Amino acid sequence: MRVAHGEQDTVCSQAAKFGKIAKDKEKQKQDEKKGVKKVESSVSPKSINDLNSLHDGPTVSEDSKHATNAPELRGSADKAHAPRANNNGHGKNASGKGVKSQKGSVGTKDKDLNMADSDASSTKSLKNTTEPEFDDEKYKEDGWFAWLVVLAGCIQAMITLGVSRAHGVYQEYYVVDEFANTPIATISWIGSVQNTMLNLCGIFVGVLSQIYDTRVLCATGAFVMGTSFILASFSTRVWQLVVTQGMLYGSAASFPYILGVTIPLQWIRKRRGLALAFVYMGSGVGGMWVSMLTRLCIDHVGRAWSNRILGIIMVGLGLGLSPLIKARRPRNRPSKILDLSVVKEWRFLFIAVSSFFAMAPNTIPYIMMPTYVADVLKENSTLSSTIVTIINVSGIFGRFAAGILSDYLGPVNVLVVWTLLAAYSQLGIWLPFANLKASIASAALFGVTGSSIVGMILNALSHQYGVSRITYISGLIYMTYSLSSLGVVQTASMMLDTVGHGTDYTWPIVYTGSLLVVATLILIVFRIKLSRKWLFFA
């Protein structure tokens, strides 16, 4: 096709503008990485379409999609540029390079936007929780250091949530031996306050993590929680243990616990469910070896030295691993100390209410099953401690299964099934069959399902709101959980003391299972509200 000399001038003039656009786009891309405000290009996008309109072809964006279908368009443009190359010194390759650079810039920008969007829910996120794009030049996600952070979070979960999960061994010793004449409801305040403070302080951890270095916060909490167990070794009354082993330990452990399970989410994108499963595996592994170590120490050196040994281990591991609990995002001081705008959002309300009912009874089997085996089934103390180990060991497999399935099916979908099975472990196995085999089966099924609920709720939050403020938002959820946990555990203990006369566990079991059923129904409604499609990642 012959091109008139005037058209050649126009085409080459537009090609020069095209090259300038490409350079501007590349500069904008570099500025965006540095956090510099975008500068509007001096050449409007309309000129790009004007260049293409000379050849009666598609626009640039369309041409990038249909490049293989229009070779003649590219050929005509090359021929139009070629005669003019000898006159202006800008040959065919120069103009062609400019076009290629522009297409590459647009493609790269689209890919970056898709990567940023993939970290949030498909539904619209809140304005104040919109997640900015990662600075991959400074921080690398899914790399070797990212998984090192996950490992550190796992060990922090061992010495925080794992110790809390092993409290059933102390509970059984206090009820049967040290405080045999004290009501069970009174003794239960130790574990109740411990678990409540462990989660209630999550909101303060979330606020402080936006202001101070997360490594310093984690180290401080680790030192205080270890010291609290050492102080508990000198406590001889229930109220003293409530203060030291309950309140002080729970408040301090909240820092390495909440930071240890949320900071890794900022480093992992592709296998976030698997990473969370690995982190929360620490609570199962920790609950297993801590319960065995606690029973061994109590039997051989006494309860006091058991507290001291655990306290020293907490301080050593906590301080040693705190440098790895490093936030991937720069700290950003919030405009409000306590921003409750997210509380008005319907997705948050559904997750908060479901966690209120699902996570609250989560600790009851850990506390009551050991005493049930010892008091009702008349088994020895070693076997009653083994029940806690069974829950924790099965929880390891359950968390990995939930994490892998969440990456493929969605955390909300898996959460519905897991919560329903946890309810069945109480109402369908433990309640109707009062024997050791049924207790072991109930403990194993609850370990697989019930112990995974906390991690999946956190995973659901990260999919709905991204990870930029995950520590703060999860702190609000944990605060909700802590308030319900205190009331639920104490209510179950009062049922056992009054209605059950200390030996009939029927009503505490019914109470626990009923709360899990309510949580399942709320999660089903939440899932339907997200989408009515069966094959929907939620």
Side-chain angles (χ1 to χ4, degrees):
M1 179 179 71
R2 296 186 60 185
V3 181
H5 185 71
E7 287 186 353
Q8 292 177 4
D9 292 339
T10 304
V11 169
C12 292
S13 175
Q14 295 288 349
K17 292 181 179 180
F18 208 131
K20 187 176 186 303
I21 293 172
K23 292 180 180 179
D24 290 341
K25 291 290 184 179
E26 291 295 326
K27 186 175 183 302
Q28 287 178 12
K29 183 180 176 182
Q30 294 176 1
D31 290 343
E32 288 173 3
K33 286 185 177 181
K34 296 178 182 178
V36 179
K37 186 178 181 180
K38 291 184 179 180
V39 180
E40 294 294 334
S41 174
S42 58
V43 183
S44 66
K46 183 178 179 181
S47 60
I48 303 175
N49 295 332
D50 292 341
L51 174 62
N52 290 296
S53 65
L54 293 174
H55 310 291
D56 297 326
T59 61
V60 172
S61 60
E62 294 173 342
D63 184 41
S64 64
K65 296 179 182 178
H66 308 289
T68 57
N69 298 330
E72 64 275 12
L73 295 178
R74 296 193 304 273
S76 62
D78 291 341
K79 290 179 182 179
H81 297 167
R84 191 65 179 171
N86 296 329
N87 297 331
N88 59 11
H90 300 286
K92 172 182 174 181
N93 293 336
S95 61
K97 183 177 180 181
V99 175
K100 183 177 180 180
S101 175
Q102 172 66 15
K103 292 178 182 179
S105 176
V106 174
T108 304
K109 183 177 180 181
D110 290 340
K111 182 179 179 181
D112 292 340
L113 290 174
N114 290 334
M115 287 295 291
D117 291 340
S118 66
D119 194 51
S121 171
S122 57
T123 55
K124 188 182 295 184
S125 297
L126 289 178
K127 183 176 181 180
N128 63 339
T129 58
T130 301
E131 184 175 355
E133 188 175 356
F134 282 112
D135 184 359
D136 289 326
E137 295 294 330
K138 187 174 182 180
Y139 303 109
K140 292 182 180 179
E141 56 184 355
D142 298 315
W144 66 269
F145 185 78
W147 287 99
L148 203 58
V149 176
V150 172
L151 176 61
C154 173
I155 299 177
Q156 295 287 10
M158 284 186 191
I159 59 176
T160 54
L161 194 60
V163 171
S164 179
R165 291 290 182 261
H167 181 73
V169 179
Y170 280 111
Q171 173 88 358
E172 185 264 335
Y173 176 77
Y174 293 146
V175 170
V176 176
D177 295 310
E178 190 167 350
F179 305 109
N181 297 323
T182 305
I184 297 176
T186 303
I187 298 174
S188 295
W189 276 106
I190 303 172
S192 298
V193 171
Q194 179 186 102
N195 189 66
T196 298
M197 298 306 295
L198 183 66
N199 296 281
L200 180 62
C201 293
I203 182 62
F204 303 106
V205 178
V207 173
L208 293 175
S209 66
Q210 300 177 85
I211 304 174
Y212 301 106
D213 193 328
T214 53
R215 294 168 292 185
V216 175
L217 294 175
C218 188
T220 304
F223 178 78
V224 175
M225 75 177 185
T227 303
S228 68
F229 251 62
I230 295 175
L231 292 175
S233 67
F234 300 100
S235 303
T236 57
R237 296 184 179 181
V238 173
W239 72 266
Q240 295 172 341
L241 290 169
V242 171
V243 173
T244 55
Q245 193 173 353
M247 184 177 298
L248 186 58
Y249 168 79
S251 302
S254 180
F255 284 83
Y257 166 49
I258 300 296
L259 295 172
V261 299
T262 56
I263 293 300
L265 292 175
Q266 298 183 5
W267 291 87
I268 302 297
R269 181 189 296 271
K270 295 179 181 178
R271 291 290 180 265
R272 189 171 293 165
L274 181 62
L276 260 179
F278 189 79
V279 169
Y280 272 100
M281 179 191 72
S283 66
V285 174
M288 179 179 64
W289 68 260
V290 170
S291 61
M292 295 173 64
L293 178 63
T294 301
R295 172 52 59 187
L296 187 66
C297 290
I298 289 176
D299 291 340
H300 290 81
V301 295
R303 195 267 300 174
W305 271 105
S306 172
N307 287 131
R308 292 167 194 153
I309 291 172
L310 280 179
I312 294 171
I313 293 174
M314 290 178 204
V315 172
L317 290 177
L319 291 179
L321 292 168
S322 292
L324 293 175
I325 308 299
K326 172 183 172 60
R328 185 168 176 264
R329 305 287 185 118
R331 294 191 301 276
N332 185 18
R333 184 181 292 270
S335 57
K336 297 180 180 180
I337 296 179
L338 190 61
D339 184 8
L340 298 179
S341 58
V342 68
V343 177
K344 303 175 183 178
E345 212 273 334
W346 67 269
R347 289 172 299 160
F348 177 87
L349 291 175
F350 265 101
I351 295 175
V353 175
S354 62
S355 66
F356 182 92
F357 290 99
M359 295 166 64
N362 194 266
T363 57
I364 293 179
Y366 289 93
I367 295 176
M368 289 194 171
M369 273 195 164
T371 57
Y372 174 82
V373 172
D375 294 343
V376 178
L377 302 183
K378 305 300 180 182
E379 301 290 344
N380 57 56
S381 59
T382 302
L383 187 56
S384 64
S385 300
T386 304
I387 290 293
V388 178
T389 303
I390 291 173
I391 297 177
N392 288 306
V393 171
S394 58
I396 297 173
F397 299 100
R399 289 181 181 94
F400 270 107
I404 294 171
L405 289 174
S406 295
D407 285 334
Y408 290 96
L409 303 177
V412 177
N413 292 329
V414 180
L415 190 56
V416 170
V417 178
W418 252 238
T419 307
L420 180 62
L421 290 176
Y424 178 74
S425 72
Q426 305 297 295
L427 300 178
I429 301 179
W430 189 11
L431 178 63
F433 305 105
N435 57 68
L436 182 60
K437 291 182 179 179
S439 298
I440 293 175
S442 175
L445 181 58
F446 183 83
V448 171
T449 57
S451 61
S452 307
I453 291 176
V454 179
M456 282 190 291
I457 287 177
L458 187 60
N459 195 6
L461 282 172
S462 70
H463 278 78
Q464 295 296 323
Y465 295 103
V467 298
S468 60
R469 301 178 66 211
I470 188 63
T471 304
Y472 176 75
I473 296 176
S474 63
L476 292 172
I477 294 293
Y478 283 124
M479 182 179 67
T480 303
Y481 161 42
S482 65
L483 296 175
S484 63
S485 177
L486 180 63
V488 167
V489 173
Q490 285 306 118
T491 301
S493 299
M494 289 178 63
M495 288 180 177
L496 181 60
D497 277 337
T498 56
V499 182
H501 305 289
T503 57
D504 187 356
Y505 284 71
T506 300
W507 283 107
I509 297 173
V510 171
Y511 181 58
T512 303
S514 300
L515 291 173
L516 291 168
V517 170
V518 173
T520 303
L521 295 176
I522 295 172
L523 286 169
I524 291 174
V525 175
F526 178 48
R527 170 61 179 82
I528 294 174
K529 192 169 176 61
L530 287 174
S531 175
R532 293 181 178 271
K533 297 180 180 178
W534 283 98
L535 300 178
F536 178 77
F537 185 93

